[in-house]
Amino acid sequence: MATKKQMAGPSMFETFQEFKETKNIDRTTLVSVLEESFRNVLAKMFGSDENFDVIVNPDKGDFEIHRNRVVVEDGEVEDENKQIALSEAQKIEPDYEVGEEVSEEVDFTKFGRRAILNLRQTLASKILELDHDALYQKYKDKVGTVVTGEVYQIWKREVLLMDDEGNELHLMKGDQIPSDNYRKGETIRAVVRDVTNENNNPRIMLSRTSPEFLKRLLEAEVPEIADGLIAIRKVARMPGERAKVAVESFDDRIDPVGACVGVKGSRVHGIVRELCNENIDVINYTSNIQIFIQRALSPAQVTSIKLDPENHKAEVYLQPEEVSLAIGKGGMNIKLASMLTEYTIDVFRVVNGAEDDEDIYLDEFADEVDQWVIDAVKAIGYDTAKEVLNAPRELLIEKADLEEETVDHLLEVLRSEFE
């Protein structure tokens, strides 16, 4: 029996067709979503959609709906949706008999404006759900990789970016390098830090401060890393200021540090600019923690190290002139070394000949130094006079949270005891 195809409201199919073109939804999924949307509306209208055949052709923008009903004797119709009286069936085809199935086309447009509006709303909801799921799956697989986005909106605590498909990417204040300065319309790079999907609402979080960002930039710049000849073992960053990277070579002929830095720093120049002039130190990785700590504290030259592996602590002894190098400006070098090695590092000065002198507990100086000062120094792990004298002055000020004058007075009292 020939049927006339129904034309849906153009806005509905145009909307879906536009979605299909921009999101690259395959035809099978397209047909499935359209059919499901029609069936949802039919089920609401008739109580069930199981006796309907829905055929959609999204390429042409048309569809067919057929309802199948069983012929029963006149007066015995119990379910008008699934049954049809014999006399009504014979108006369609005179030779229909009881028990046969009648299939007739349903004119969806005759169901009225509300049915069509309901269909469009259902379809829009399905499209949005599909869009969100596709976006979540796409970026979930990109966590830890570098992406590019265009600055769309700048707020105090967040920068909103757009990818090339118009998806929103979020760069929070804590994930921005302090000296970053963004302008609307400019393109920036960042690593995908996290992707959440609460209530089917994907939220893509980026980061430019993550160690992973520096790692990915190095991988892109150094072919030996991409080829698997060099591995990045550890990365520690103070974003926009300084970073330390530990690398290892699997080929004895390749110097991993030289390969990563390049001739006259050529391979890291671009990365340094990308990271707002962040100074990058590259060192050789080793599983020997004592040697690793020594390398991590470069450019300082370490005299000796005492390790406490159980508590991940290290006491590092240096000549007085090396102490400031080990600590670095604002304590930056020692902080990065601790982050890289995952050891708490305490720095001590080597005092020549002091090992032969008898040490004295701090509590014995209570008559010359206030007890609260002694308690503050003991709280950071220094119990004797020599331990305090061997500790860097800057470290005592910072870790014990004491005034400079207080620390200088303490050091003067202790030093006089050994003169």
Side-chain angles (χ1 to χ4, degrees):
M1 172 177 172
T3 60
K4 181 182 179 182
K5 293 181 179 179
Q6 302 178 45
M7 296 303 295
S11 62
M12 179 180 66
F13 278 110
E14 285 174 6
T15 298
F16 203 93
Q17 193 66 23
E18 180 184 348
F19 174 82
K20 173 179 178 287
E21 290 170 358
T22 55
K23 302 299 179 183
N24 298 317
I25 300 301
D26 61 89
R27 193 181 188 283
T28 303
T29 305
L30 185 68
V31 171
S32 175
V33 171
L34 274 169
E35 182 178 336
E36 188 179 352
S37 298
F38 275 110
R39 288 191 176 280
N40 283 346
V41 176
L42 292 169
K44 288 179 183 178
M45 295 178 63
F46 296 101
S48 173
D49 66 298
E50 62 185 27
N51 58 311
F52 286 87
D53 292 326
V54 180
I55 304 169
V56 295
N57 188 344
D59 297 329
K60 294 183 180 180
D62 57 35
F63 64 93
E64 298 176 43
I65 300 176
H66 296 266
R67 179 164 61 168
N68 305 309
R69 292 186 288 179
V70 177
V71 179
V72 297
E73 294 286 358
D74 289 3
E76 294 185 7
V77 175
E78 297 177 357
D79 184 346
E80 292 185 355
N81 181 40
K82 296 181 179 180
Q83 296 175 327
I84 184 173
L86 178 61
S87 57
E88 290 296 319
Q90 289 177 342
K91 289 178 183 178
I92 300 171
E93 287 286 346
D95 55 354
Y96 271 129
E97 296 180 3
V98 173
E100 290 186 332
E101 187 175 75
V102 175
S103 179
E104 58 182 327
E105 186 173 7
V106 175
D107 187 352
F108 194 84
T109 58
K110 289 185 179 180
F111 293 149
R113 180 176 173 276
R114 175 173 288 186
I116 296 173
L117 182 61
N118 193 353
L119 175 64
R120 290 178 181 170
Q121 288 175 341
T122 303
L123 180 58
S125 175
K126 294 290 181 186
I127 290 172
L128 187 61
E129 184 180 324
L130 198 62
D131 182 13
H132 284 180
D133 186 59
L135 179 61
Y136 174 69
Q137 292 300 328
K138 174 184 176 180
Y139 275 96
K140 183 182 177 184
D141 294 336
K142 287 190 174 184
V143 171
T145 63
V146 174
V147 296
T148 302
E150 182 180 312
V151 177
Y152 182 75
Q153 193 72 45
I154 304 169
W155 296 297
K156 186 175 181 180
R157 298 187 178 184
E158 178 184 354
V159 172
L160 180 65
L161 311 172
M162 292 288 185
D163 68 8
D164 54 5
E165 292 182 350
N167 299 310
E168 294 183 353
L169 312 173
H170 303 269
L171 184 63
M172 308 305 292
K173 188 69 176 177
D175 290 305
Q176 301 170 25
I177 297 172
S179 49
D180 273 339
N181 186 22
Y182 304 112
R183 293 184 300 276
K184 189 171 182 179
E186 76 172 322
T187 300
I188 64 170
R189 291 192 291 173
V191 72
V192 180
R193 174 174 60 80
D194 188 30
V195 182
T196 60
N197 196 29
E198 190 173 345
N199 298 321
N200 197 32
N201 185 26
R203 187 172 171 85
I204 299 133
M205 312 302 294
L206 306 183
S207 176
R208 284 173 52 80
T209 60
S210 164
E212 202 69 24
F213 186 43
L214 173 53
K215 187 176 180 180
R216 296 294 175 238
L217 292 176
L218 276 168
E219 288 174 351
E221 290 291 334
V222 183
E224 291 86 349
I225 296 176
D227 293 339
L229 299 174
I230 294 175
I232 300 173
R233 291 301 189 192
K234 300 272 187 176
V235 177
R237 290 183 66 193
M238 298 186 75
E241 297 287 343
R242 192 170 176 182
K244 286 183 181 285
V245 182
V247 294
E248 183 179 18
S249 174
F250 298 117
D251 188 330
D252 294 338
R253 297 169 296 177
I254 298 175
D255 169 23
V257 175
C260 290
V261 174
V263 179
K264 295 183 179 179
S266 58
R267 286 182 172 177
V268 295
H269 278 164
I271 299 174
V272 169
R273 286 194 298 271
E274 176 74 52
L275 302 180
C276 303
N277 295 320
E278 187 172 311
N279 187 20
I280 302 172
D281 298 336
V282 184
I283 66 170
N284 274 307
Y285 173 79
T286 174
S287 56
N288 184 319
I289 189 62
Q290 191 157 340
I291 297 175
F292 192 36
I293 291 173
Q294 288 182 14
R295 292 174 180 173
L297 284 170
S298 63
Q301 296 295 316
V302 175
T303 300
S304 63
I305 297 177
K306 290 182 181 178
L307 291 179
D308 179 4
E310 188 175 337
N311 297 306
H312 274 234
K313 290 184 177 180
E315 293 181 358
V316 178
Y317 295 86
L318 307 100
Q319 294 298 327
E321 65 272 14
E322 298 291 332
V323 170
S324 60
L325 287 174
I327 294 173
K329 184 180 178 182
M332 195 178 299
N333 196 59
I334 195 169
K335 286 177 184 175
L336 282 171
S338 293
M339 292 163 62
L340 195 72
T341 61
E342 298 178 5
Y343 263 68
T344 301
I345 301 173
D346 291 322
V347 174
F348 297 90
R349 287 186 180 89
V350 174
V351 180
N352 293 329
E355 290 80 5
D356 299 327
D357 296 331
E358 187 178 345
D359 206 349
I360 304 172
Y361 284 106
L362 289 179
D363 289 326
E364 295 187 29
F365 293 90
D367 56 337
E368 298 177 78
V369 180
D370 291 336
Q371 187 61 47
W372 66 269
V373 176
I374 293 174
D375 291 341
V377 175
K378 288 171 65 177
I380 62 171
Y382 302 127
D383 295 314
T384 70
K386 285 185 183 177
E387 288 177 348
V388 175
L389 288 171
N390 288 343
R393 173 180 176 274
E394 299 85 354
L395 213 61
L396 291 170
I397 294 168
E398 182 182 345
K399 292 185 72 174
D401 196 22
L402 296 173
E403 296 290 336
E404 290 187 27
E405 295 81 1
T406 304
V407 171
D408 288 340
H409 173 66
L410 172 64
L411 293 174
E412 184 180 348
V413 170
L414 300 181
R415 201 175 288 119
S416 65
E417 184 68 27
F418 295 99
E419 290 177 350

PDB file of all heavy atoms in Angstrom, residues 7-21:
ATOM      1  N   MET A   7       6.385  15.331   6.273  1.00  0.00           N
ATOM      2  CA  MET A   7       7.471  16.273   6.432  1.00  0.00           C
ATOM      3  C   MET A   7       7.393  16.883   7.829  1.00  0.00           C
ATOM      4  O   MET A   7       6.364  17.426   8.209  1.00  0.00           O
ATOM      5  CB  MET A   7       7.393  17.397   5.378  1.00  0.00           C
ATOM      6  CG  MET A   7       7.555  16.907   3.954  1.00  0.00           C
ATOM      7  SD  MET A   7       9.097  16.002   3.677  1.00  0.00           S
ATOM      8  CE  MET A   7      10.275  17.310   3.948  1.00  0.00           C
ATOM      9  N   ALA A   8       8.444  16.743   8.588  1.00  0.00           N
ATOM     10  CA  ALA A   8       8.470  17.321   9.931  1.00  0.00           C
ATOM     11  C   ALA A   8       8.700  18.813   9.812  1.00  0.00           C
ATOM     12  O   ALA A   8       9.105  19.320   8.774  1.00  0.00           O
ATOM     13  CB  ALA A   8       9.594  16.683  10.745  1.00  0.00           C
ATOM     14  N   GLY A   9       8.426  19.536  10.929  1.00  0.00           N
ATOM     15  CA  GLY A   9       8.698  20.965  10.960  1.00  0.00           C
ATOM     16  C   GLY A   9      10.154  21.194  10.614  1.00  0.00           C
ATOM     17  O   GLY A   9      11.025  20.547  11.162  1.00  0.00           O
ATOM     18  N   PRO A  10      10.466  22.108   9.696  1.00  0.00           N
ATOM     19  CA  PRO A  10      11.834  22.263   9.215  1.00  0.00           C
ATOM     20  C   PRO A  10      12.824  22.598  10.332  1.00  0.00           C
ATOM     21  O   PRO A  10      13.956  22.162  10.293  1.00  0.00           O
ATOM     22  CB  PRO A  10      11.725  23.406   8.201  1.00  0.00           C
ATOM     23  CG  PRO A  10      10.443  24.119   8.524  1.00  0.00           C
ATOM     24  CD  PRO A  10       9.536  23.066   9.051  1.00  0.00           C
ATOM     25  N   SER A  11      12.404  23.374  11.331  1.00  0.00           N
ATOM     26  CA  SER A  11      13.359  23.791  12.362  1.00  0.00           C
ATOM     27  C   SER A  11      13.928  22.600  13.114  1.00  0.00           C
ATOM     28  O   SER A  11      15.087  22.592  13.491  1.00  0.00           O
ATOM     29  CB  SER A  11      12.694  24.761  13.338  1.00  0.00           C
ATOM     30  OG  SER A  11      11.620  24.138  14.009  1.00  0.00           O
ATOM     31  N   MET A  12      13.093  21.566  13.314  1.00  0.00           N
ATOM     32  CA  MET A  12      13.543  20.401  14.056  1.00  0.00           C
ATOM     33  C   MET A  12      14.669  19.676  13.305  1.00  0.00           C
ATOM     34  O   MET A  12      15.729  19.393  13.863  1.00  0.00           O
ATOM     35  CB  MET A  12      12.377  19.447  14.299  1.00  0.00           C
ATOM     36  CG  MET A  12      12.780  18.187  15.066  1.00  0.00           C
ATOM     37  SD  MET A  12      11.371  17.119  15.325  1.00  0.00           S
ATOM     38  CE  MET A  12      10.987  16.631  13.655  1.00  0.00           C
ATOM     39  N   PHE A  13      14.455  19.389  12.029  1.00  0.00           N
ATOM     40  CA  PHE A  13      15.453  18.650  11.272  1.00  0.00           C
ATOM     41  C   PHE A  13      16.671  19.516  10.948  1.00  0.00           C
ATOM     42  O   PHE A  13      17.791  19.039  10.912  1.00  0.00           O
ATOM     43  CB  PHE A  13      14.846  18.082   9.987  1.00  0.00           C
ATOM     44  CG  PHE A  13      14.109  16.803  10.225  1.00  0.00           C
ATOM     45  CD1 PHE A  13      12.734  16.750  10.125  1.00  0.00           C
ATOM     46  CD2 PHE A  13      14.794  15.647  10.574  1.00  0.00           C
ATOM     47  CE1 PHE A  13      12.059  15.578  10.370  1.00  0.00           C
ATOM     48  CE2 PHE A  13      14.111  14.461  10.812  1.00  0.00           C
ATOM     49  CZ  PHE A  13      12.736  14.425  10.716  1.00  0.00           C
ATOM     50  N   GLU A  14      16.439  20.802  10.709  1.00  0.00           N
ATOM     51  CA  GLU A  14      17.568  21.696  10.454  1.00  0.00           C
ATOM     52  C   GLU A  14      18.472  21.775  11.674  1.00  0.00           C
ATOM     53  O   GLU A  14      19.690  21.777  11.564  1.00  0.00           O
ATOM     54  CB  GLU A  14      17.060  23.084  10.065  1.00  0.00           C
ATOM     55  CG  GLU A  14      16.516  23.148   8.649  1.00  0.00           C
ATOM     56  CD  GLU A  14      15.881  24.492   8.348  1.00  0.00           C
ATOM     57  OE1 GLU A  14      15.976  25.393   9.215  1.00  0.00           O
ATOM     58  OE2 GLU A  14      15.293  24.636   7.270  1.00  0.00           O
ATOM     59  N   THR A  15      17.834  21.823  12.847  1.00  0.00           N
ATOM     60  CA  THR A  15      18.607  21.868  14.087  1.00  0.00           C
ATOM     61  C   THR A  15      19.449  20.612  14.232  1.00  0.00           C
ATOM     62  O   THR A  15      20.644  20.676  14.531  1.00  0.00           O
ATOM     63  CB  THR A  15      17.667  21.988  15.300  1.00  0.00           C
ATOM     64  OG1 THR A  15      16.941  23.207  15.185  1.00  0.00           O
ATOM     65  CG2 THR A  15      18.469  22.003  16.606  1.00  0.00           C
ATOM     66  N   PHE A  16      18.836  19.458  13.991  1.00  0.00           N
ATOM     67  CA  PHE A  16      19.568  18.209  14.144  1.00  0.00           C
ATOM     68  C   PHE A  16      20.640  18.049  13.067  1.00  0.00           C
ATOM     69  O   PHE A  16      21.739  17.588  13.336  1.00  0.00           O
ATOM     70  CB  PHE A  16      18.601  17.025  14.097  1.00  0.00           C
ATOM     71  CG  PHE A  16      19.174  15.813  14.774  1.00  0.00           C
ATOM     72  CD1 PHE A  16      18.912  15.571  16.105  1.00  0.00           C
ATOM     73  CD2 PHE A  16      20.009  14.943  14.100  1.00  0.00           C
ATOM     74  CE1 PHE A  16      19.461  14.469  16.740  1.00  0.00           C
ATOM     75  CE2 PHE A  16      20.555  13.843  14.724  1.00  0.00           C
ATOM     76  CZ  PHE A  16      20.275  13.612  16.055  1.00  0.00           C
ATOM     77  N   GLN A  17      20.298  18.482  11.840  1.00  0.00           N
ATOM     78  CA  GLN A  17      21.268  18.368  10.758  1.00  0.00           C
ATOM     79  C   GLN A  17      22.494  19.234  11.036  1.00  0.00           C
ATOM     80  O   GLN A  17      23.631  18.826  10.801  1.00  0.00           O
ATOM     81  CB  GLN A  17      20.618  18.785   9.435  1.00  0.00           C
ATOM     82  CG  GLN A  17      21.433  18.401   8.199  1.00  0.00           C
ATOM     83  CD  GLN A  17      21.523  16.895   8.029  1.00  0.00           C
ATOM     84  OE1 GLN A  17      20.681  16.172   8.528  1.00  0.00           O
ATOM     85  NE2 GLN A  17      22.549  16.433   7.341  1.00  0.00           N
ATOM     86  N   GLU A  18      22.253  20.424  11.583  1.00  0.00           N
ATOM     87  CA  GLU A  18      23.362  21.316  11.941  1.00  0.00           C
ATOM     88  C   GLU A  18      24.228  20.670  13.019  1.00  0.00           C
ATOM     89  O   GLU A  18      25.453  20.707  12.956  1.00  0.00           O
ATOM     90  CB  GLU A  18      22.799  22.645  12.437  1.00  0.00           C
ATOM     91  CG  GLU A  18      23.880  23.639  12.836  1.00  0.00           C
ATOM     92  CD  GLU A  18      23.299  24.917  13.414  1.00  0.00           C
ATOM     93  OE1 GLU A  18      22.074  25.114  13.294  1.00  0.00           O
ATOM     94  OE2 GLU A  18      24.058  25.697  13.983  1.00  0.00           O
ATOM     95  N   PHE A  19      23.562  20.041  13.996  1.00  0.00           N
ATOM     96  CA  PHE A  19      24.286  19.348  15.064  1.00  0.00           C
ATOM     97  C   PHE A  19      25.117  18.217  14.478  1.00  0.00           C
ATOM     98  O   PHE A  19      26.274  18.030  14.830  1.00  0.00           O
ATOM     99  CB  PHE A  19      23.277  18.802  16.072  1.00  0.00           C
ATOM    100  CG  PHE A  19      23.893  17.954  17.142  1.00  0.00           C
ATOM    101  CD1 PHE A  19      24.478  18.523  18.255  1.00  0.00           C
ATOM    102  CD2 PHE A  19      23.881  16.569  17.041  1.00  0.00           C
ATOM    103  CE1 PHE A  19      25.047  17.743  19.238  1.00  0.00           C
ATOM    104  CE2 PHE A  19      24.454  15.777  18.016  1.00  0.00           C
ATOM    105  CZ  PHE A  19      25.023  16.382  19.128  1.00  0.00           C
ATOM    106  N   LYS A  20      24.537  17.473  13.563  1.00  0.00           N
ATOM    107  CA  LYS A  20      25.230  16.333  12.945  1.00  0.00           C
ATOM    108  C   LYS A  20      26.495  16.801  12.214  1.00  0.00           C
ATOM    109  O   LYS A  20      27.548  16.185  12.296  1.00  0.00           O
ATOM    110  CB  LYS A  20      24.292  15.634  11.973  1.00  0.00           C
ATOM    111  CG  LYS A  20      24.946  14.523  11.140  1.00  0.00           C
ATOM    112  CD  LYS A  20      23.924  13.889  10.235  1.00  0.00           C
ATOM    113  CE  LYS A  20      24.558  12.814   9.361  1.00  0.00           C
ATOM    114  NZ  LYS A  20      25.404  13.364   8.303  1.00  0.00           N
ATOM    115  N   GLU A  21      26.386  17.916  11.519  1.00  0.00           N
ATOM    116  CA  GLU A  21      27.523  18.398  10.738  1.00  0.00           C
ATOM    117  C   GLU A  21      28.644  18.922  11.627  1.00  0.00           C
ATOM    118  O   GLU A  21      29.814  18.732  11.338  1.00  0.00           O
ATOM    119  CB  GLU A  21      27.049  19.492   9.785  1.00  0.00           C
ATOM    120  CG  GLU A  21      26.157  18.959   8.660  1.00  0.00           C
ATOM    121  CD  GLU A  21      25.499  20.080   7.873  1.00  0.00           C
ATOM    122  OE1 GLU A  21      25.720  21.254   8.228  1.00  0.00           O
ATOM    123  OE2 GLU A  21      24.756  19.783   6.926  1.00  0.00           O
TER     124      GLU A  21
END
